[in-house]
Every structure is written in C-alpha cells, then in structure tokens.
Amino acid sequence: MKFIRGIRRRLRPWLPDAGFFVLMLIMLSTWLLAIPRWASPDEPEHVYKAYGTAHGQLLGREIIRDPPVPSNIRQFDGPVTFGLGDIRCYFFRPESPAGCDLGARPELESSAARYPPYYYALVGGGARLVGQPESVRTYRLFSALLCTAMLAGAFALLRRSRSRRLAPLMLVTMTPMALFMMASVNPNATEISGFILIWALLTRLCVDDQPSKRFSLALGITAAVLIMFRPISAVWLACVGIIVLIAASPTRRREFFRKPFLVRLLVPLTVGVVASLAWLRFAAFKVSDSRVATNLTLREVVRLSVDRWHGYYLQMVGVLGWLDTNLPTVTYWGWSIAIIAVAAIHLTRSGPRQWLTLAALVGAYLVTPIAINASTAASAGLSFQGRYSLPVFAGLAFLPMLDDRHLKAVRSSTLLMYVALAVITVAEVAGFWQMLRRFSVGASGKIWLVGDLPWQPGKIWLVGDLPWQPGIPPMLLIGVNAIVMILLCVTTVLITRRSHAEPTDENDPIEEFASAT
C-alpha cells in the first residue's frame, strides 16, 4: 500500500497534463477522421515518402519520362492502393464532394523524395510497427501523436510558470489551419507544434526567477529536431530569437549570452544543423520546379507578396483542402477578435519594450513572405503559403507571458482572455463544420449533417445518403469536436487558476523527468 501511495503521489502532479494530452488527441482525432484521404496539401507525396523511408527507400528512384519531370520528384515502390488518380475529381473544386472515385495508378511519385527522412522515419516506422503500413489514417495518427506530445509539453511548462494564469492563451495559436495540418501527414505539422513548445520554453526562461538549466538544453534539442524535420525552420528560429531578445529583461538578456547557457543551447542545435545539412548534401536537395518558376523582378515579387498579405492571413487561419476550402466569415472574424484581445493584454502595462516586441513580431510576420518569395521566385515561383507563418504567429499568444511586468496585470486581463477563448471556440467549431460540409456535400450544400426533417426535407438537414461520409455520423463528429473544444478552454482555465499557489519549481516536467531518469 505504501508503494501504491508513493506512485499515486508521484503521478498526481501529472494528471492535468495527461488530461490535456487526452483532450488534445481527441480534438486532433476528430479532424483526422473528418479529412478525406489525400485531402490535405501534398499529403500523397508525404505518405509515399514515409512509406518508402520505413521500407528502406530513402530517396526513391529517378523518373525517366518525356517531357522530363523536375529532379526533386522521384518514385517509390509501394502498394497500388496508394496510387493517386485524377485529383481534379474534387481537388480545387469546392462544390464537388469527396465521394467521387479518384481512380488509381501504380506510380507513387513524390515531390518530398529529397526531404530529410527523420520525420518520415517516425511516422512511417510507426505505421509499419503496428502492422498498418497501407492505412493513411495510421500515418496521420502517429503524426498527431508527435504534435500532441509537444503541445502537452508546452502546457505542462506554462501551467507551472509565473505566467500560468495566461497559459490558456496558448489555445489561440491552434487555428483551424494548424489543427488541419496536425491531423494530416506533413512535417509542417510538427513544425507548428514544435514552435509552440519552443515559445513555452522561452517563457520559462524569461520569467522564472531561477530558470532551470535544463530549459536551455531542452530548447536546443527541440530546435535541433525541428531543423532536422524541416530545414526552413531555421528562418523562424532566427525570427523568434530576435523577438525574445527584445522581450526579455536586460538582466535575463545578459544571462542568455553567458557561456553555460550558450553551450547547452548550441551543442544540440549544432548537431541538428549538421545532420540536416548532411542529408541535404547527400540528397542533392534544392528548391527547384521549372513548372512554376518565374522571371519576376525583385520589385514585382515584393508588390505581389504585399498584395497577398490578406490572403496569407486567411490561409493562416484556415483555407483548407488544397487551398480550395474557405471557412465561414465567423471563423476569420473570431480569430481576428482573439488576436486583438491578446494584443490588448500584451499592452496592458505598455512601455517601449512592449511596443517594440509587438512591432518585431508583426514585422517578422509581414517580411518573411517577401523574403521567401524573393529567394524562390526564379527557381520555384512564389512558394509562400499562409500556414508557413504559424510558428511566428504563435508567439503573439506568448507575448503577454514573456514579460513579468504583465504578471501584476493578469487579473485585469482575465476578461479579455475569456473573450479570446470564447470567440475561438465558436470559430473553431464553425470552421470544422464547414470543412465537413464541403467534403460531404460541397461548400454550398446543406448545412446540417443529419437526416432530413419532415418539414424541411433536403433543405437544411444533411441526412440520408451523403456523397461522402467520414465513417462516423458527421453530426456526432461535430458534437464531439465542439464538446472537446469547450472542455479544452474550460479545463485549461480551471487548471491554471488552481495552480497559482504552487511554487514554480515544484513538479516541473523537465526536472521530474530528469530525476526519474
């Protein structure tokens, strides 16, 4: 009995974190089930790469065809059931449900063939380990588990910080596009969730009275993993580093440049960079696609990128499918209101540093599309998409937590936090509903996803035989999604309110893990 009580005592501090993990996994599972096969950006290519990596085909093989295909597109050997037919069946056609037959062809061609294999080894290896290497949903589940683990780690860190009362703002970072990607097979998914974890680690380093030495080590390891998974993460890491240096107090900023901190940060980061560069060199990777390359001047690239700022914002909140599924206006307005509320919380106790930090984050958000488009225009066209900004956008929710001056203003900011959580709950459910509607009956089809009612047959209720169904009654899936979203908001608020009396160094996840190890 004494042994059991000891185990219970050790596990009790982790129960809120485990609860968050379970709720987040259920949330991603609703999205995972609601997305038709191959209906997220480049998912076929990423699944082929994951399958090939798990079966020893690191690069696939060259495709010899007339006319020649771009060198970054290679072929993998795999099950014929993976073959992709005419994607124009419903891709890029929002009024066409996903129930049409895509057909199949045996060639598994992937534009991700030369990408680093580390993410794909975990996802594809997991699917092969459980004996489901031909199930797309199994690949999605392992990717979602990686993302959920990072998100749960971020919440565990935040609820033990001095900024814990504002920790629920972390949910603002999870736009419908972020959830859509986390429920799909794409290394961009782990990049988004990984940066949320990085922002949480930086919050602890900025506001804790005596931050653990292991936080800087964990920061270096997380950054290294992200660069290994997705080398473009180096751009976002540079942006985040500049923003945090501006946000940190002068005393804490000096500590960041001391040798012990830099060693713990840079050693694992260097290993990750070397591993990433070694693969890119081995795979002869380059950003090149003659089909979309342009001859635009720098001035034209800048003008076109600026013209697309609004579109990039909508994509970041959520333009789902293959950028063919717009969400309801309430979703975009809901996240806009939440962003304004978070910015208002950040500026509650405003000073020059707070304004400069916010300006740096907004500047990074606006400038990076221009910089990336300028670097790829001649070889691969204007390649930027709104979802690429999510690692920087995530920092907005953390700005109020990064500066300990805001801690005394938490009570006055509580109402704004509740407003942000309320509007994103409505916005997320509305976005999820519209996505199911688009794939089930078309973007302008019936709104309700249950059977016809006698007094309104076929007009409002989405019942009977639908052109496409996710395997679970759509209205049940929407109900579960709504309940879990509400629970996430309510429980994070209640947990962080109860945690306010706990010492910041007690039951720390990294310290607990280290001592247990």
Side-chain angles (χ1 to χ4, degrees):
M1 290 298 294
K2 185 177 180 180
F3 175 72
I4 295 176
R5 283 197 300 269
I7 293 177
R8 287 178 178 174
R9 188 168 59 252
R10 275 192 162 280
L11 291 179
R12 190 178 299 116
W14 294 88
L15 291 179
D17 309 318
F20 181 90
F21 179 93
V22 171
L23 286 175
M24 198 67 236
L25 186 58
I26 295 174
M27 166 63 74
L28 292 183
S29 296
T30 62
W31 283 83
L32 184 156
L33 294 170
I35 302 172
R37 178 168 158 138
W38 308 141
S40 66
D42 302 320
E43 189 174 51
E45 286 86 346
H46 294 299
V47 170
Y48 301 162
K49 170 72 172 179
Y51 180 91
T53 302
H55 290 78
Q57 305 173 56
L58 292 180
L59 280 174
R61 65 175 184 273
E62 183 182 359
I63 300 173
I64 301 175
R65 185 183 301 160
D66 188 24
V69 299
S71 61
N72 62 308
I73 300 178
R74 297 174 70 87
Q75 188 170 328
F76 291 92
D77 295 322
V80 177
T81 54
F82 273 175
L84 188 64
D86 185 5
I87 64 173
R88 292 171 295 183
C89 169
Y90 75 92
F91 290 21
F92 315 113
R93 300 173 61 187
E95 297 302 331
S96 298
C100 60
D101 184 9
L102 288 177
R105 64 172 186 262
E107 298 88 359
L108 307 185
E109 298 177 2
S110 173
S111 59
R114 298 185 188 274
Y115 288 9
Y118 311 108
Y119 163 82
Y120 301 100
L122 292 174
V123 174
R128 186 177 184 183
L129 185 65
V130 299
Q132 297 289 328
E134 299 184 24
S135 169
V136 175
R137 284 181 174 172
T138 303
Y139 290 86
R140 289 178 178 177
L141 179 60
F142 277 97
S143 185
L145 283 169
L146 285 173
C147 296
T148 305
M150 292 180 181
L151 296 175
F155 178 71
L157 287 161
L158 290 177
R159 80 176 189 89
R160 294 167 172 85
S161 73
R162 294 178 63 206
S163 303
R164 52 188 159 268
R165 294 293 289 272
L166 294 176
L169 290 177
M170 168 185 161
L171 297 176
V172 176
T173 67
M174 301 176 201
T175 67
M177 177 56 84
L179 296 172
F180 182 76
M181 296 309 300
M182 292 179 195
S184 307
V185 182
N186 195 313
N188 188 205
T190 50
E191 179 184 51
I192 296 166
S193 53
F195 268 93
I196 294 174
L197 176 58
I198 280 179
W199 281 109
L201 285 163
L202 289 168
T203 299
R204 295 297 298 269
L205 286 166
C206 285
V207 302
D208 281 12
D209 292 328
Q210 292 182 329
S212 169
K213 296 177 181 179
R214 293 187 176 91
F215 290 156
S216 55
L217 180 61
L219 180 63
I221 293 173
T222 305
V225 168
L226 292 181
I227 287 181
M228 290 170 64
F229 282 5
R230 194 166 156 83
I232 190 66
S233 295
V235 175
W236 313 122
L237 286 170
C239 294
V240 170
I242 293 170
I243 294 167
V244 171
L245 287 176
I246 296 172
S249 66
T251 302
R252 196 52 53 91
R253 198 180 304 137
R254 286 192 294 270
E255 293 176 1
F256 290 162
F257 285 99
R258 290 176 179 169
K259 184 178 178 180
F261 178 90
L262 291 175
V263 169
R264 289 189 294 269
L265 172 67
L266 294 179
V267 168
L269 181 56
T270 301
V271 172
V273 170
V274 170
S276 183
L277 291 176
W279 169 264
L280 296 179
R281 183 177 178 84
F282 166 76
F285 176 85
K286 59 181 178 178
V287 180
S288 177
D289 191 340
S290 57
R291 297 170 301 178
V292 292
T294 69
N295 294 319
L296 296 173
T297 64
L298 178 59
R299 185 171 184 175
E300 290 171 328
V301 170
V302 172
R303 178 179 58 80
L304 289 173
S305 299
V306 171
D307 289 343
R308 296 181 183 185
W309 273 347
H310 179 255
Y312 290 148
Y313 173 74
L314 296 182
Q315 292 174 10
M316 184 188 71
V317 174
V319 179
L320 308 183
W322 287 58
L323 294 181
D324 58 14
T325 304
N326 290 308
L327 301 183
T329 303
V330 66
T331 299
Y332 300 118
W333 274 106
W335 245 273
S336 298
I337 293 170
I339 289 170
I340 294 170
V342 173
I345 294 173
H346 173 63
L347 298 175
T348 301
R349 300 177 74 84
S350 61
R353 184 149 47 96
Q354 283 68 42
W355 282 101
L356 187 58
T357 304
L358 183 59
L361 188 142
V362 173
Y365 171 80
L366 295 176
V367 170
T368 46
I370 300 174
I372 290 176
N373 282 338
S375 66
T376 64
S379 59
L382 304 185
S383 60
F384 192 85
Q385 295 183 29
R387 60 188 168 93
Y388 299 161
S389 293
L390 281 165
V392 169
F393 166 76
L396 178 67
F398 289 87
L399 289 189
M401 299 182 244
L402 284 172
D403 193 337
D404 56 9
R405 288 185 58 188
H406 292 97
L407 301 183
K408 297 179 181 178
V410 167
R411 292 184 182 277
S412 62
S413 303
T414 301
L415 179 59
L416 286 172
M417 182 176 72
Y418 292 163
V419 169
L421 295 178
V423 295
I424 66 168
T425 298
V426 175
E428 188 277 336
V429 176
F432 181 77
W433 197 321
Q434 176 61 17
M435 182 190 70
L436 259 177
R437 177 191 186 193
R438 178 263 185 269
F439 291 130
S440 296
V441 295
S444 300
K446 295 177 288 187
I447 296 174
W448 301 96
L449 305 180
V450 293
D452 294 327
L453 291 180
W455 57 90
Q456 288 182 321
K459 293 295 183 182
I460 294 181
W461 298 94
L462 260 177
V463 224
D465 293 329
L466 303 176
W468 179 83
Q469 293 198 58
I472 293 178
M475 288 307 297
L476 176 60
L477 207 55
I478 291 171
V480 173
N481 177 273
I483 291 171
V484 173
M485 187 65 191
I486 293 170
L487 286 175
L488 275 170
C489 292
V490 172
T491 55
T492 52
V493 169
L494 293 178
I495 289 171
T496 51
R497 287 183 65 180
R498 282 202 303 267
S499 300
H500 76 279
E502 297 179 7
T504 57
D505 59 348
E506 182 181 346
N507 302 323
D508 192 282
I510 293 181
E511 297 292 348
E512 285 273 348
F513 177 79
S515 62
T517 306

